[in-house]
Amino acid sequence: MTIEIRPTALADAPVRGFEMLIDGRWTAGAEGRTIDRNAPSHGIVVSRYQAATRIDAERAIASARKAFDHGRWPHTTASQRSRVLLKAADLIEARAE
């Protein structure tokens, strides 16, 4: 017995666009280029991501450094940090499916 599965075409599905989160803001890449992701079974573009450059990486690193140096994280105790990281792990695990 042969079963043939024919997936529904994605041609009418909207392409989901994603930006980068840098310094608390969603932003396009410095050069404005994007990377398309095609559905492997259809070859149709289903999502579009910003193509990060060295400039984007440097902006993100500078933002993270500023947040660390002037934020609350370096002033928290190991116990407090542990609670935050364990809570994040629990949330990730709860949404794993």
Side-chain angles (χ1 to χ4, degrees):
M1 173 186 213
T2 301
I3 298 174
E4 185 175 330
I5 299 173
R6 294 182 182 201
T8 306
L10 298 174
D12 297 331
V15 175
R16 294 182 60 197
F18 296 92
E19 293 183 318
M20 296 180 285
L21 182 62
I22 299 177
D23 202 20
R25 292 184 213 103
W26 292 105
T27 182
E31 294 181 0
R33 292 182 300 119
T34 58
I35 299 168
D36 290 345
R37 179 185 166 275
N38 296 326
S41 61
H42 295 86
I44 295 171
V45 176
V46 292
S47 55
R48 185 165 288 128
Y49 300 87
Q50 298 300 310
T53 64
R54 181 183 192 105
I55 293 168
D56 299 312
E58 289 171 352
R59 285 179 46 222
I61 292 165
S63 174
R65 179 84 260 171
K66 181 177 78 174
F68 183 82
D69 290 344
H70 303 289
R72 294 182 289 186
W73 191 255
H75 306 291
T76 60
T77 65
S79 176
Q80 291 168 322
R81 290 181 189 187
S82 174
R83 280 195 296 273
V84 170
L85 294 174
L86 289 171
K87 177 65 175 178
D90 289 343
L91 292 170
I92 291 168
E93 186 176 10
R95 292 166 174 81
E97 290 298 318

